[in-house]
Amino acid sequence: MQISKSGHIPIYYQLKQVIIAKIKSGELKENEQVPTEAELCKIHNISKAPVRQALQELEAENYIYKIRGKGSFVSSNYIKQPMTKLQSFSNDIISIGHKPGAKLLAKSIIPADFEVAKALNIKEKDRILQGVRIRYIDDEIYSLNYSHFSLDLFPEVENMDLSAPSLYELIEKELNFEIVRAIQTLEATPTTPEISKIIHRQIGSPLLLMSRVTFIIKNSKEMPFEFVKVYFMPDKYKCEVQLSK
């Protein structure tokens, strides 16, 4: 890809896309050193200012990381998860050869807003248990999760250990609920000021938002149990859907 100096697209943005394309194609591999500022200036015949801006944005979006005195390197590859089976995050990540982790940031009882009430089939302002957690893969932030449970329908969740590595295993083994299915949607969303403070990403930078309602069987009746909003780091996550005819 040639960098145009006469078009309307900023030079730094063009360079950024060139490097991203090389990372995604595998030309630049995980933990491989990215050409230095001087090398990029020489390769593309451009000045240092756009090179620095491109590298700064790539680092902010976790495409690269810097080691002082050594340079910039390609961050860990995407984690690719199949969307064909409902199982716990921990099992998903272990199954593809990585180490999962979790940290509970907050646990509180709040009134249900319209979105949560609709997802859990309850009334607005009903009592909700909300858990806010960061999920890690190989000690790197992978997602920020906001989980919601109805305390009126499921009072037993109030004492649930939301810091557990796998909530699905906890739900099935300790609460004795059978998880049967889930409905989820994926969409792009910008990093808000609140989220930026937690995951240290630039305000307005893109995230991938997954909204999911998980259903369980209680007293022989299928009921929505958890509504979770998961903000994935887009440079760490890809979903894979297999289609057949």
Side-chain angles (χ1 to χ4, degrees):
M1 178 179 174
Q2 294 290 332
I3 291 180
S4 172
K5 300 176 185 177
S6 58
H8 298 294
I9 302 175
I11 292 174
Y12 85 88
Y13 183 82
Q14 294 181 62
L15 176 60
K16 178 181 169 183
Q17 296 309 308
V18 167
I19 296 173
I20 289 174
K22 289 183 177 182
I23 291 172
K24 289 185 175 180
S25 70
E27 184 177 343
L28 284 173
K29 296 178 174 57
E30 179 179 348
N31 297 318
E32 182 177 334
Q33 187 168 8
V34 177
T36 64
E37 284 186 15
E39 288 170 339
L40 289 169
C41 289
K42 184 176 180 179
I43 291 168
H44 299 285
N45 192 26
I46 57 179
S47 63
K48 285 186 177 181
V51 171
R52 286 177 180 170
Q53 186 170 354
L55 293 176
Q56 285 171 358
E57 292 199 4
L58 288 168
E59 183 181 20
E61 295 174 20
N62 289 325
Y63 283 102
I64 64 173
Y65 61 94
K66 292 182 179 179
I67 298 178
R68 190 170 183 178
K70 293 187 177 181
S72 300
F73 298 80
V74 178
S75 296
S76 301
N77 289 332
Y78 287 92
I79 299 299
K80 184 171 65 175
Q81 287 185 279
M83 305 291 285
T84 55
K85 186 178 180 182
L86 182 60
Q87 64 177 358
S88 76
F89 166 86
S90 296
N91 288 340
D92 266 350
I93 301 310
I94 291 171
S95 71
I96 55 177
H98 293 269
K99 183 183 74 173
K103 179 181 179 182
L104 180 64
L105 301 180
K107 180 179 179 180
S108 56
I109 297 174
I110 61 173
D113 61 18
F114 175 80
E115 183 182 26
V116 174
K118 183 178 180 181
L120 296 179
N121 195 25
I122 58 177
K123 296 178 181 178
E124 285 188 67
K125 299 185 179 179
D126 278 2
R127 293 191 319 140
I128 292 296
L129 176 67
Q130 181 189 69
V132 182
R133 304 195 301 162
I134 288 181
R135 303 309 307 258
Y136 297 92
I137 294 179
D138 300 331
D139 299 321
E140 294 183 359
I141 295 177
Y142 175 68
S143 70
L144 174 64
N145 297 25
Y146 291 81
S147 294
H148 308 84
F149 307 88
S150 169
L151 285 172
D152 294 328
L153 294 176
F154 306 101
E156 53 268 70
V157 302
E158 186 169 355
N159 297 318
M160 186 166 64
D161 181 11
L162 296 182
S163 65
S166 172
L167 289 187
Y168 273 17
E169 290 186 8
L170 192 70
I171 290 165
E172 292 194 315
K173 292 181 179 179
E174 294 193 14
L175 301 184
N176 295 315
F177 291 149
E178 179 187 358
I179 297 172
V180 290
R181 68 185 180 97
I183 299 173
Q184 63 186 33
T185 59
L186 289 168
E187 61 184 303
T189 191
T191 300
T192 65
E194 175 192 355
I195 291 175
S196 174
K197 291 178 183 177
I198 299 173
I199 61 175
H200 309 297
R201 286 181 72 92
Q202 186 175 354
I203 295 172
S205 62
L207 296 172
L208 183 62
L209 170 61
M210 181 187 75
S211 301
R212 180 171 64 200
V213 182
T214 301
F215 295 80
I216 57 96
I217 295 290
K218 182 178 182 181
N219 299 326
S220 302
K221 181 181 178 182
E222 183 180 284
M223 303 173 67
F225 178 72
E226 179 195 25
F227 173 57
V228 61
K229 299 182 76 170
V230 182
Y231 295 88
F232 288 108
M233 308 301 105
D235 45 304
K236 298 293 181 185
Y237 176 86
K238 282 186 179 180
C239 61
E240 180 181 85
V241 180
Q242 294 190 32
L243 304 175
S244 58
K245 186 176 179 181

